[in-house]
Amino acid sequence: MSALTDAGAGAIAEPGARGALAGAGRGIRGSRLTGRRRRRPRWASNLIAAAFCLVWIFPVYWMVNTAFKPREEILTPTPLFWPTNPSFENFVVAVTQTGFLTDLRNSLIVVTGTVLMSIVLGFFAAAALSRFRFRGRRAILVVILAVQMLPGTALLIPTFLMFNSIGLLGTFFGLMLAYVAAVLPFSIWVMRGFFIAIPDEIEEAARMDGAGTWRILVSVWFPLVGPGVIATSIFAFIAAWNDYLVAYTFMKDQAMYTLPVWLASFTTPTAGTDFGGQMAGSVLFSLPVIVFFLFIQRNLVAGMSAGAVKG
């Protein structure tokens, strides 16, 4: 009797086991289908990203390609995607162009001053707007955000007239102030995010050890906001290094022009445009930005990820 009972129970249990196995099989097939469906959009997004990267990098490739071409290959009706006779002649023409070394020196002076002033002013302003409480703090933040939203060309003429009235037009210091005014709102907002992410316990522990506000500012806050300082320095460097309009408008003396203005000297009304020399000059002009970015890119990535969340 017990044997029959066991056999009947096994017969009853067998369809259930088969159903469980069938359900598991359907689940595996479903997960495979779901995985395939998930992979397709990933491949599509990668393909779209690769197309965008190709469109973005092609002008850079063409600039470098033209810089190594001799003049007869540049002016051919059929474009050559690779120089048949590579030459450094265009680079020699660019380096020996009138005013290259002088304008390079001017650019280095202006960029260095702009980066240092934007870091110092942005650091102290961000510290005041994030770690201290005073009346009008929110109004100042709104004004900074509103100034950041204004286009730079809209402020060009008022700044020109103001600098002309106070004697700063045509000076390196005036040009630095114009660049600092353009990048300072961004610098304040970026560094303010890093200041907000600093836990209050760190400041309280420093004060319990007897540190004053200035000691905390230099020894505690500045190292923690260091990645934000690097991010703002890159922005200030690129803004001051690449600008043409402000430098050409504010500088009266040609001996005080910067490299972006120097690049325009390859185009003259009589001789036309020396495309090879201009592209070689553009390559030389881009190298400092690339080197500067590669030198501190790790700190930049760390700074962006650290400032994205509040600690």
Side-chain angles (χ1 to χ4, degrees):
M1 187 67 181
S2 60
L4 292 174
T5 304
D6 293 341
I12 295 173
E14 185 176 358
R18 290 178 180 176
L21 291 174
R26 287 194 297 270
I28 294 172
R29 288 193 297 271
S31 63
R32 289 177 179 176
L33 291 175
T34 304
R36 291 176 183 174
R37 291 172 184 172
R38 290 177 180 175
R39 290 173 186 171
R40 289 174 184 173
R42 184 178 301 175
W43 281 102
S45 61
N46 291 340
L47 184 62
I48 294 173
F52 274 104
C53 290
L54 183 63
V55 172
W56 174 85
I57 203 172
F58 182 79
V60 180
Y61 158 74
W62 196 253
M63 176 185 70
V64 178
N65 181 33
T66 307
F68 286 96
K69 286 181 181 178
R71 184 176 180 82
E72 56 273 10
E73 293 185 8
I74 296 175
L75 300 178
T76 54
T78 303
L80 299 176
F81 290 91
W82 190 260
T84 55
N85 298 309
S87 173
F88 288 93
E89 180 182 357
N90 294 323
F91 290 94
V92 175
V93 172
V95 173
T96 56
Q97 185 80 359
T98 304
F100 171 72
L101 295 178
T102 302
D103 294 346
L104 175 61
R105 181 204 62 189
N106 298 340
S107 289
L108 293 176
I109 293 173
V110 172
V111 167
T112 303
T114 301
V115 171
L116 292 178
M117 284 195 292
S118 62
I119 288 175
V120 173
L121 296 177
F123 177 78
F124 284 109
L129 293 172
S130 58
R131 309 301 297 187
F132 298 97
R133 300 292 181 266
F134 54 91
R135 184 174 298 179
R137 183 172 61 93
R138 294 184 180 274
I140 294 175
L141 291 173
V142 172
V143 171
I144 292 174
L145 182 61
V147 172
Q148 180 66 25
M149 295 171 65
L150 292 175
T153 52
L155 302 175
L156 182 63
I157 296 178
T159 307
F160 178 89
L161 296 175
M162 181 179 64
F163 281 15
N164 188 33
S165 62
I166 60 179
L168 290 178
L169 203 63
T171 62
F172 286 140
F173 184 69
L175 187 59
M176 294 176 196
L177 285 182
Y179 291 147
V180 170
V183 303
L184 191 59
F186 175 82
S187 302
I188 294 174
W189 272 101
V190 170
M191 282 195 262
R192 179 177 175 271
F194 284 90
F195 274 108
I196 293 176
I198 298 176
D200 295 335
E201 291 77 9
I202 295 179
E203 180 182 353
E204 294 173 359
R207 292 192 182 278
M208 291 180 63
D209 291 338
T213 303
W214 285 102
R215 181 65 181 275
I216 294 174
L217 199 66
V218 175
S219 301
V220 178
W221 288 344
F222 187 79
L224 295 176
V225 187
V229 172
I230 293 174
T232 56
S233 66
I234 292 178
F235 180 76
F237 184 95
I238 294 176
W241 185 264
N242 291 343
D243 177 74
Y244 168 82
L245 184 61
V246 178
Y248 184 72
T249 305
F250 281 33
M251 290 301 172
K252 302 177 181 179
D253 188 0
Q254 293 185 0
M256 301 182 71
Y257 282 161
T258 55
L259 278 181
V261 183
W262 167 79
L263 281 175
S265 64
F266 289 94
T267 301
T268 59
T270 55
T273 302
D274 182 7
F275 293 104
Q278 193 172 56
M279 292 301 103
S282 299
V283 172
L284 296 175
F285 177 74
S286 304
L287 287 179
V289 179
I290 297 173
V291 172
F292 182 72
F293 179 78
L294 292 177
F295 181 71
I296 59 177
Q297 63 172 337
R298 294 183 179 179
N299 294 325
L300 175 64
V301 174
M304 290 301 183
S305 61
V309 294
K310 184 176 181 180

